[in-house]
Amino acid sequence: MAKMKTRALRQQLPAPAARLAALLACAWLAFAPLAYAQQAEPAYQPRTGDAWLDRHLADINLYAARYPQSFADEISRYYSVPRDYVEAMQQQPSWEAGDIFMACALAQALAQPCRAVVREWSHDHSEGWKGVSRRLQSGPGPVLQRKLRNDVEQSYSRWARPLKK
């Protein structure tokens, strides 16, 4: 009797290859949308030449997505950019908040208007912010990097946002 039940049970279970195929199909159905989403929208890559700064510019994107008005206030107030201009840039699909921050902070560090840096970035940003910085001055330089890092730290302090090291 036990032999008959075992034989009947074996006949009901699919072969190991069929089970594996079913498992793979389920896994593909579960993870395909996630893989497609990751391919469809590449991660933000400002390419400043400073990994710390790149991470924080990506985090500024998250902050600005949640608090767009506070972000616009920050840029307008501390980088002397008209608020309407900041809000117009926020509406541009080709501009991320991290790029807006970088353009205005870089402009202030180089004693140039933000619009000049925005034009340079819009003209060619194939080499990222490092390339834009190099074209606007002799090179990125450690003094400029420290100034930009300091700007990020001050903004995070005003936002009461924890600064990741």
Side-chain angles (χ1 to χ4, degrees):
M1 178 89 163
K3 246 184 176 179
M4 287 177 55
K5 285 184 182 179
T6 305
R7 190 177 298 149
L9 186 59
R10 267 195 219 139
Q11 289 173 350
Q12 290 176 0
L13 292 176
R19 270 188 264 150
L20 180 60
L23 180 64
L24 290 174
C26 289
W28 183 82
L29 288 173
F31 293 106
L34 178 63
Y36 176 75
Q38 288 175 348
Q39 290 174 355
E41 191 173 318
Y44 176 67
Q45 297 177 2
R47 294 173 290 143
T48 63
D50 180 338
W52 184 93
L53 193 54
D54 286 353
R55 270 194 322 276
H56 286 87
L57 290 174
D59 187 58
I60 286 172
N61 290 342
L62 299 175
Y63 176 83
R66 186 164 184 182
Y67 305 106
Q69 299 302 314
S70 295
F71 174 76
D73 286 342
E74 175 79 12
I75 300 301
S76 179
R77 182 176 300 133
Y78 294 99
Y79 296 97
S80 303
V81 179
R83 186 180 173 86
D84 292 343
Y85 188 70
V86 176
E87 290 174 344
M89 287 175 60
Q90 285 177 299
Q91 299 304 314
Q92 298 299 316
S94 59
W95 278 88
E96 298 280 346
D99 295 328
I100 297 168
F101 184 95
M102 186 66 179
C104 297
L106 182 60
Q108 188 175 66
L110 298 174
Q112 294 189 19
C114 184
R115 289 175 193 263
V117 178
V118 167
R119 270 192 304 272
E120 187 62 35
W121 172 260
S122 296
H123 173 70
D124 178 19
H125 58 269
S126 60
E127 297 177 0
W129 281 107
K130 185 176 184 178
V132 171
S133 175
R134 191 178 319 114
R135 288 193 306 271
L136 291 170
Q137 62 158 2
S138 61
V143 173
L144 179 60
Q145 292 291 354
R146 279 194 301 275
K147 168 72 173 106
L148 294 171
R149 281 178 169 228
N150 188 45
D151 287 346
V152 169
E153 290 172 355
Q154 288 177 2
S155 291
Y156 272 60
S157 177
R158 287 187 287 267
W159 293 334
R161 190 164 180 81
L163 191 65
K164 300 169 188 168
K165 297 292 177 180

